Amino acid sequence: ISQISNKEYISNEMLIKIAALGILIYMSIGLFSLSQGDNFLNYYSISQDYGQHLGIFLVESAVGISVFASMLLIYNLFNKIA
């Protein structure tokens, strides 16, 4: 069994910034909908033709970025303890 390296490939400070970026993308999509007079995360305010597809893609990407950064941050913190 090989020993797991405790080297950090991405610093914890950068991971916090990446997670915040995902939240910022998510919130900006919702705030854009509100600024157009629609409900929060109403994707059709982006575009009437393909707004649903683009909105869902952007929101899921933002959530994925935040979850990725959070999970890697948790891994880094547990790796320092061990």
Side-chain angles (χ1 to χ4, degrees):
I1 298 175
S2 63
Q3 184 174 353
I4 298 174
S5 173
N6 59 356
K7 180 179 178 183
E8 289 182 7
Y9 293 101
I10 303 176
S11 69
N12 291 343
E13 292 82 18
M14 181 59 81
L15 289 172
I16 292 170
K17 291 177 184 177
I18 292 171
L21 175 68
I23 295 169
L24 180 68
I25 294 170
Y26 179 86
M27 288 299 297
S28 65
I29 296 167
L31 291 176
F32 179 77
S33 298
L34 287 176
S35 71
Q36 299 298 315
D38 291 328
N39 292 330
F40 188 76
L41 293 178
N42 185 357
Y43 305 126
Y44 288 111
S45 62
I46 298 171
S47 171
Q48 292 298 322
D49 297 330
Y50 55 89
Q52 188 78 18
H53 300 291
L54 182 62
I56 289 173
F57 176 76
L58 291 173
V59 165
E60 293 300 326
S61 297
V63 170
I65 289 169
S66 294
V67 169
F68 156 76
S70 300
M71 293 302 293
L72 196 54
L73 180 63
I74 291 169
Y75 175 79
N76 282 348
L77 293 175
F78 275 126
N79 202 15
K80 283 184 180 180
I81 295 172

